[in-house]
Each structure stands twice: as C-alpha cells, then as structure tokens.
Amino acid sequence: MKRISGIVLFICIFCASSFGQSGQCTVSDYAEYGKKIKEYTTEPFFITELVDHLPLSSCVPPPDTFLHHIIGAPDILDYNKDINAYMRLLASKSPRVKVFGIGMSEEGREMLAVVVSDEENLARLDRYKEINRRLADPRGLSEAEAQKLIAEGKPIYWADGSIHSPETGSPEMLMEMAYRLAVEETPFIQKIRKDSIVMITPVVETDGHDRMVDVYLHRKKHPTAPPYPLVWWGHYVAHDNNRDSLGMKLALSRNMLKTFLEWHPTVMHDLHESVPYLYIMTGTGPYNAWLDPIVISEWQQMAYYEIEEMTKRGVIGVWTHGFYDGWAPNYLLSIANNHNSIGRFYETFGNGGADTRVRTLPADATSRDWFRPNPPLPKVKWSARNNINMQESAILFGMHNVADNGSQFLNNFYLKSRRSVEKARKEGPAAWVFPANDSRPGEQASLLSLLELQGVEIHRTEKEFRIPASASTTESPARSRKRDSADGGPEDKKAVEANEKKTAETIIPAGSYVVRMDQPYSRLADMVLDTQYYNPRDPRSYDDTGWTLGALRNVRTMRVTDVSILDAPMQKVGAIEVAGGVSGEGNTYVVNHNTDNSLATLRFLLSTVPMDAAEEPFEVDGIKFKAGSFVIRKADRKALEQASKELGLKVHATKSEIKVSTHPLAVPRVAIVHNWQSTQNDGWFRIAFESLKIPYTYVADTRLRETSNLRQSFDVILLPPMGGFGPSGLNTIIRGLPMRGTPLPWKNSADTPNFVAQGLDSTDDIRGGLGYSGLANLEQFVREGGLLIAVQSSAALPVSAAMTEMVNVAEPRAMQAPGSVVLSTIEDKKSPIAYGYDDKLYIYFRQGPVITVSTGMGNQGPPESRASGRGSISDPDVIQGRPFIAQEKEAKRSPREQELYIPEDTPDNARWFLPAREAFPRVVLRFAPEKELLLSGMITASNEIADKPAVVDVPHGKGHVVLFANNPMWRGETNGSFFLVFNAMLNYDHLNAGASTAGPTTIPVATGEDQEEY
Ligand SMILES: [Zn+2]
C-alpha cells in the first residue's frame, strides 16, 4: 500500500491572537486511536493510508475525547446536539474551522455548515464567496476579468451527511474528517486545506437522525424487546426528503438551497449508505436533458478518479454507473446541478446503525461488469468503521482532486453559468411566459415565487407584446395542449403543423410574467417548465419520469422561441403578490371558484361565516362565476376584506339577487390517517394542508380500530396511499405490526426522548393495525354520512371491504407508469368535486391502481380478437352447413356509456342486483384517451389506464367514498389537483348535488343496418 506521507509528527505555531490560546500546538500520532481504527476494520482491503491513523493535536481535541468513543466504534451513535457541539468545539479551538448555523428543522434542530480551510483562506472567506457569486452570474464580466477571478478563487467542496436517517455513518465520519482536515499536516491534507474550502453539513435530516439514534440505542439497550420501526424520519416524509428539490416544501431543502445560493459551492456531495461497498454516482442515464453536458463529464471524471485511487490501494468493491439514472431533478444534489455546480453522491454500505454483521450479497451485487470490474464479495463481515473508511478515504481523494484542479473546476463553473446566460439565443427557448390573464393568479404567483426562491429572475411586461405567427410559441399546460411532437408519429407531426398553421399571432398581454432564458439559472426554469419524454427502452427509471410544473400546478405557461421577446419592455419584479380584496357594493359577496388553493384557506379562516356553493355557473352584475363559486350572504365586510387581501382573493360585493341553486359549504373536521409502519406518503398531504392552514387531525389506524363512533369526531377521513394492493394489501392493513410480545408505546421517554414532536402522533401501543373493527368502524362512519377519501393504493381498501358497488380496483397487468404527467378530462362537471375546474386537468400518475366502473352486465366492449376460421382478421367467419348469419355488431359507446350499460334483454331479476340510480358511482375525472394521455414522462401499455376513471365518487349509506387513481398531493408539485380533495371535503355532505337521477342507461344494440356488406 502506497503511503502519501510517512511523517506524522509536525509542529505548527499559531499566534495567540488568532488562536484564542497561547503557546505552541504540537501534532503527533494518536497511536491509541489508530489501533482502534485497525481493530474495528474487518479486512485490510477496507482501509487506506488516508484514514488508518489519526493525528493528535495538543490544541484541538480529537473526536474521542469529546464523544468518548472513536469514530466508527461499534454499537454507538451520536445525537445532533453532540455532533454540533463537537463541531463548535473544533471551531473554538482551531483557526481553521468556522461554524455557521444554516437554519432549523421543522422540530427546531439546527443544521450546520462547518467550514474548514487554511487560516489565511478563512480570513478571506467573504472574498472567496464574492468571487464565486460573481462567477455564478457572469453577466457583464469580461473574459479577462473572469479569468482573473478564477485564478484568485478557491473551489468550495460541500459534503453533507445523513439526509436518510437509517444511513448513520456519515455524521460520524464527517466529525473525524473535519478534525483531520483541521490538524493533519501531510502534504495531501495541506493541499486540500490550502487550495480549497471544505464545507460540511454533518446531518441534513436532523429530526430523523435523532429519532434514528433513539431507535438504535433502544435496541442496543433492550436487545430482547420488539424492535421499533423508524415510524417518522423527518417531521413529514422519510426517504422522499431527497425528492423535494422541485417543490421545496421541507425545511432541510430550503436551508440547503439558501446556503447554496449564498456560497455557490463548486461541488455538493451527498453521502448515502445503501449499496455495497462504495458506489460513486454517475448513473446509467438517461441524464437530465436540460443540464449542460459539461457537468456530465465532471461526474464521470470525478468518479473515475476516486475509483482509480481507491482501487490502486487494493480496496475492493468501488464502482460506478450501474445504479440510479440521473434524469429527475428532484434530489438534494439537484440543488447544485440545477444551479451550474456539480451535485453528486456516494452510496456506501451501511448497517442501519453501528452493528458489526456478516453480510451476504445477492449475485447481481457481486457480478463483474464493465462498470464494476472489481465487484463486492459474496459474503463479508461488515463494520461501521469499514463504512467510515470507505467514505472518508474516497471523499478525501475527491476533495484533493478538486483542490488540485481548482482553476479547472472554477472555470467550468464559470463556463456553465455563462452558457446558461447564452441559452436564450443559442439553443433556446428565448423565454417562458406566464400570461397576465391566467384565471388562477394565486397558483401562478405561487409557482413564480418558487422559481424566485430557486434564484430565478422574473420579469413583467410593460406593454402588450405580439409574436408573429411565423415565430413558434407553444402554449403548454393547463387549458390548451399543443406540444412539440415528442412521440414523433407522422400523424402527430401533421396535427402539430396544422395547429401551428391555425395559430395567428400570439398576444402576450401587458403585465405578463417572463422568465428570460438569458439568466444564470435559465436551465433550471426550463427543465421544470418544459415537457419530458422518457423512452421506454431506456433503463428502468429511478424515480419520476415527468414533472412539468406548469401542468401539475394547473398554471398556464408559454414556451417562446422568438428571441424578439427579449427586447420587449419589461421590468424585473421582486416578491410576487396577488391583489385581493372586496370590490362593489352590497351585502352579498361572491368569490369565483377558480381552484386557487387559497379559497380553501378562506373557508377555514372564516369558519364561523356561513358560505354557500353555487351548484351551477351564474352571472351577476355582468360578471361570470363558475359552478362552485362561494356565495356569502351574511358577513362582516371588514373581516372579509382583510382575509381576501391576505389570501390574494377577489371578492365581489353585490346588491343583486343571486339566482342560482346553492348548498352550504361545510367546515369539515378532517382526519388524515397514518399507520405505524410507514408515514411517507401522508407527509405530503400534511404539508399541503398545513401550508394552506387547513386544520386536520392526524389519526393512526390503531385509533380507527379502537374508536367505534368515528362520525362523532370526523366528517372526512382521508387515507393517503398506504401501500399494498388486493388481498395482500388488505392483509397488511388489517394486521399492521404483529401483535406479538409486549405493547410497544410510541412516546417520549428517557430512552426515546425524540420520538414525538408537536404535530406527530403518540400511542400506548403501535401494534395491531386497522384490525377488523377498524374496517367496520370506517364502514359505519361512511354509512352514517361521513366522507372517506382513499388515494391510490388505499383505494383498494373500501372496495375490498364492500363499501362500494359497481367499482373494481386492480393492479395494472403490463402497464409501466413510473411517475408521469397525464391528461384527464372532467367528466361530471356537476359534481361538486369538479367545481372550479375547466374541461381538462393534468394530473400526476404513478403505476396504479386501475379503477373500473361497471354494471357487471352485458358485454364489456367488442372482443379483442376473432376465432380461428376462414378469411382474414377482419372477415366474417362462416360456419359450414348452415346459412350465414352475421354476428351482431357492438354499438359504439363512450367509456361512460359502456360503464353504465345494461343490455335491453337483461331480465328484471338480474337488474335487482344493481343499486338504485342515485347510488351509482359518479366518474368525476377520467383519464384521457390513449393518444392524448401522456404529457410528460413515460407510460407503456397505457391502454390499461386510458379512458378509465381517475376520480370516482361512490355513495354508500348516507355518506360517500371518493377514490383517486392519481395522487392529488404529491411532493408539493401537484397543486393543480389539490382542489379535487378540498372540493370533496367542503361539499362532503352535498356530494349528490347535480347527480343524474335518470334510470340506468340502456343503449339499443345495433341493428343489421350498419353492418358491412360482404
Ligand atoms: Zn440514502
């Protein structure tokens, strides 16, 4: 094994003023620590000379003197407060360390940025930040000036640990690395210190980390007790905290983004632990198509450099490529990649704690491949220290590489920034426009504010602007659908061309918002607003394949390629606010239902004010209002004025009589259900509710089991996707955690001080699931007038449990839909669930379920194939020895007609099996036909979902069950479909409004007249 430096004894001298203490600091070898490193490392091929020792400083305390264990010691983990305290101790003792708080978590735990560099660099930290800021926005910078800055600047390498709470090695490793970087005097470490600035965030998910340490130490202390699952990681979501860079709903994402935009780190490096032994991110592709190709090269260059350095030293199992794709821009590391820096990650082998265990790997993890010429072993004893050694060695090589090639990395950063500014006139588009006349100004402002949070500049046009018909403009989501033909069929191309020919000039009204593509973060804006095409032949996608935010948020956007727009008069805007307030005179107030989500906030904010919903569209004082508009007949104008200003809602006061049928809008008591195994999906629902200030009760499945009169407490019970389909799903939901051993309380205790925070749930026993009684209680709740909303996988529950008739929920057979944006049509415009929506809505769809509605009678459409016989596939068969009688041809029926079809010859006794007409399911939202279905992403075998119901309202007893095949509240991205949920809630006791009461559809079978002639 090659040694970079054999010398371990150094003397360094710091002056008293800069160090805060007098005298000389000596550095020697900390032999005792080194001995333990070797003891806890299971094999010599899991260590390098960079980390097989630790220097001992006479001034700066090594980790074990503070933590009472060496880093990577078995069976021990540290809490945030100790990790942060150690980092601050380093800063107080070493002039090479500074600590900055970068924000708090939801539960009030602090996140840190620990900066380590040479004393002189730290003294000039503000200057280096300024250089990076300038390179990040090179507008107005000459090439010579840029090169001068690059020569003067230092690259910043930001390492962050444990975004995923069961991955516990990195916070420990980062403490040792911070110490090592601060005190070690090998040329290798000196180089990193002198020629770069290292930034460390030891724990990204601070709430989840402390809970994980509770769970782990509890298990160590009570080895025979039933083990606790990590019910919550962060306050809201688990693994998905690494999928928040499109919605930016979590405190950790916002804190990291804000820090990024302050420092512009050259590299951001997330440390994960799930793959043996060290996977270095490059990914299989397809790579995100909006990133500058330069960054793709940088990923490869960095990965191969580190793999080579590790492999040269005999380390086993360091590889790249064959894991993760690099497509979706929603990861934490996307913060860097989307802002022209380098975002990357490691996966090392964790043990979900600090156990030492024998680990056996499946063949697909140990096979040799072109990207893994030195694969992991089939079986090995693995320790926490092994994990530390792998992470720390490799990332130090990575940091050395960046320090050693600082100007190259800074120059690339500058180039990527400059090329982003050039994008508008080079590859295009020129801009994205948010028209001033969008009927959803609230959601428009919300999306624009999100872009501003990401550092994107927004402008506003001063005058109307016209784009000639010849210059192409694509109005993308929401109400109109014209796309650059991604599927490429000749028919599609024709359609697009025809469409474009029809287009006259495009008028962009004055006051429209413009996202110019000649700004540093143009690529980010373009990638989130554009449509995505994911070829099914590509490797299986790692996450969502489509994410078009304009469509998902039901906000109109226009992709403008005509560069003349860049010269249109416009002003850069600051915070985007929507004007609200009351206009007009009179004692009746009307608020148009445009599905802006703040309308739901208004209902709960003024909960004591009676409000009605209009059941039809209507007109008053010459103003048109949509079905579902709020009619307020008795209110304090001042209170309404204040609320509507705050929420950016326009309220019209009138003296005229409102001539439309209405019903009261409820202020429902809502429960959001969770179980005790996984709380991931409900977290996104909770965030949506909380950010809109809609009150709810967070209720466990076990509580539903034990509460016999749910209707007394709740009007609406919402089941977010809780996993599991069909019989096995029902089994899991009813059983929950096994009823074995002693009760497992989920409460804060001396052993588990971090289990519960305000807003989370607690119980005396987490075992037992929903149980049979829970199922019965839910059924009773609905029968007595409650509304049960069941989303995606949870839709199977009320259907399997016989709370619905004429509805089936199934897993898709061959369809692959790994997270895409699809089109749906509003089928039942009179349903209160559809209030405020236009004819079409883009929704997020992932894999299932497939919901079908049917009377269960008669032929379900024409046969898919013909029997073997004479002729061709379209010819009629002819039976021998009798006259030819043509098969009756099925009448053409719409999906809805087909669902409700009852053949005329159905005997009355069979009709008895059908519910009364008013108890028929109402298909509110339906997936578009196959040809129009996909906007962004990928779906194969999409015929399985095309034309099928997306949202179905099923009456049951006095109440309703509403089933969603789409996820209306996904990762803070699908704000356009939030109101499907809110509408259902606010109208929970009037969902029958507008229902058809006509008898079951009977469509006569076709006569022979339209048969073909043979
Ligand atoms: Zn992870």
Side-chain angles (χ1 to χ4, degrees), residues 433-452:
V433 170
F434 290 62
N437 53 3
D438 195 316
S439 58
R440 287 162 52 81
E443 281 313 306
Q444 183 188 61
S446 164
L447 178 51
L448 289 167
S449 302
L450 178 67
L451 290 172
E452 286 191 322

Side-chain angles (χ1 to χ4, degrees), residues 115 164 251 273 278 324 361 384-385 397 428 466 563 568 606 682 688 694 709 798 881 886 902 962 1011:
V115 178
H164 287 152
E273 297 160 36
L278 170 57
Y324 160 87
L361 296 178
R385 184 66 216 188
F397 285 123
R466 287 166 185 255
V563 292
L606 303 181
D682 68 61
I694 298 175
N709 195 343
I902 300 167
V962 173
Q1011 293 284 6

Side-chain angles (χ1 to χ4, degrees), residues 273-432:
E273 297 160 36
S274 71
V275 175
Y277 298 126
L278 170 57
Y279 166 80
I280 301 180
M281 165 267 206
T282 51
T284 58
Y287 292 133
N288 184 288
W290 293 261
L291 294 176
D292 192 314
I294 292 173
V295 77
I296 316 287
S297 296
E298 290 174 321
W299 296 339
Q300 321 293 325
Q301 189 274 336
M302 296 176 88
Y304 278 107
Y305 177 80
E306 291 149 31
I307 292 167
E308 187 179 325
E309 291 305 313
M310 294 292 278
T311 305
K312 273 198 271 191
R313 287 163 175 79
V315 178
I316 286 180
V318 186
W319 58 288
T320 187
H321 177 77
F323 174 79
Y324 160 87
D325 54 19
W327 176 248
N330 55 4
Y331 306 93
L332 186 69
L333 58 80
S334 308
I335 292 176
N337 288 322
N338 298 354
H339 293 94
N340 302 323
S341 286
I342 303 166
R344 57 196 308 252
F345 70 94
Y346 284 171
E347 294 278 356
T348 52
F349 208 27
N351 268 347
D355 292 0
T356 307
R357 290 199 286 134
V358 172
R359 300 291 300 269
T360 310
L361 296 178
D364 64 354
T366 60
S367 58
R368 190 153 61 83
D369 220 318
W370 69 262
F371 53 83
R372 195 167 52 196
N374 178 15
L377 303 166
K379 197 171 188 176
V380 75
K381 192 182 189 188
W382 189 256
S383 69
R385 184 66 216 188
N386 290 2
N387 184 18
I388 304 289
N389 292 342
M390 299 291 268
Q391 280 184 5
E392 195 175 345
S393 301
I395 202 168
L396 283 173
F397 285 123
M399 288 170 173
H400 194 269
N401 180 22
V402 169
D404 210 14
N405 300 287
S407 357
Q408 183 199 320
F409 280 100
L410 286 178
N411 191 52
N412 279 358
F413 175 56
Y414 156 70
L415 267 180
K416 285 181 282 182
S417 307
R418 205 186 72 193
R419 285 152 59 106
S420 295
V421 176
E422 291 163 358
K423 175 180 169 69
R425 289 186 165 83
K426 203 174 258 175
E427 66 266 34
W432 282 87

Side-chain angles (χ1 to χ4, degrees), residues 482-679:
K482 266 181 279 154
R483 43 193 289 228
D484 309 315
S485 174
D487 329 297
E491 268 187 25
D492 284 20
K493 263 186 201 148
K494 251 188 244 161
V496 169
E497 277 161 23
N499 243 335
E500 272 165 9
K501 264 177 212 154
K502 263 188 271 163
T503 316
E505 60 180 0
T506 307
I507 299 169
I508 295 171
S512 294
Y513 294 100
V514 179
V515 184
R516 302 173 64 98
M517 294 289 113
D518 57 355
Q519 59 169 309
Y521 302 142
S522 59
R523 297 193 194 286
L524 184 153
D526 193 34
M527 84 172 63
V528 304
L529 299 172
D530 209 347
T531 50
Q532 293 80 42
Y533 175 72
Y534 196 101
N535 190 321
R537 283 172 303 192
D538 269 326
R540 177 195 266 265
S541 72
Y542 192 74
D543 199 69
D544 283 346
T545 52
W547 53 79
T548 311
L549 287 189
L552 287 178
R553 298 177 72 122
N554 202 10
V555 169
R556 282 172 66 197
T557 60
M558 292 159 81
R559 183 176 191 268
V560 179
T561 52
D562 183 355
V563 292
S564 67
I565 190 165
L566 299 169
D567 302 322
M570 60 178 85
Q571 292 292 329
K572 193 174 148 189
V573 293
I576 291 156
E577 274 158 24
V578 190
V582 185
S583 61
E585 290 305 321
N587 293 326
T588 305
Y589 304 93
V590 194
V591 195
N592 185 40
H593 197 333
N594 60 357
T595 73
D596 258 344
N597 291 315
S598 49
L599 266 178
T601 311
L602 178 75
R603 182 67 201 101
F604 287 91
L605 183 65
L606 303 181
S607 60
T608 56
V609 177
M611 298 186 189
D612 291 331
E615 293 184 351
E616 306 274 347
F618 64 97
E619 207 174 307
V620 69
D621 304 339
I623 308 169
K624 283 185 174 150
F625 291 89
K626 286 185 166 183
S629 291
F630 291 16
V631 180
I632 306 167
R633 294 196 167 91
K634 206 176 151 194
D636 170 24
R637 183 167 177 138
K638 261 191 192 157
L640 202 54
E641 183 90 50
Q642 199 191 333
S644 54
K645 273 191 177 152
E646 202 177 293
L647 299 173
L649 289 169
K650 288 201 168 86
V651 179
H652 176 71
T654 182
K655 290 173 182 161
S656 314
E657 194 193 337
I658 311 285
K659 286 180 197 147
V660 67
S661 54
T662 60
H663 63 252
L665 266 176
V667 185
R669 300 160 299 166
V670 182
I672 296 181
V673 179
H674 72 88
N675 60 31
W676 294 101
Q677 288 125 295
S678 160
T679 57

Side-chain angles (χ1 to χ4, degrees), residues 163-164 167 233 239 242 271-274 346-347:
I163 181 167
H164 287 152
E167 302 165 12
W233 297 17
H239 192 266
N242 196 31
L271 292 160
H272 289 270
E273 297 160 36
S274 71
Y346 284 171
E347 294 278 356

Side-chain angles (χ1 to χ4, degrees), residues 54 62 110 350 378 575 636 646 681 710 745 782 792 876 892 912 934 1006:
L54 197 74
E110 193 181 21
D636 170 24
E646 202 177 293
N681 290 324
L710 289 165
V782 179
Q792 273 195 312
K892 278 216 169 76
W912 174 82
L934 182 67

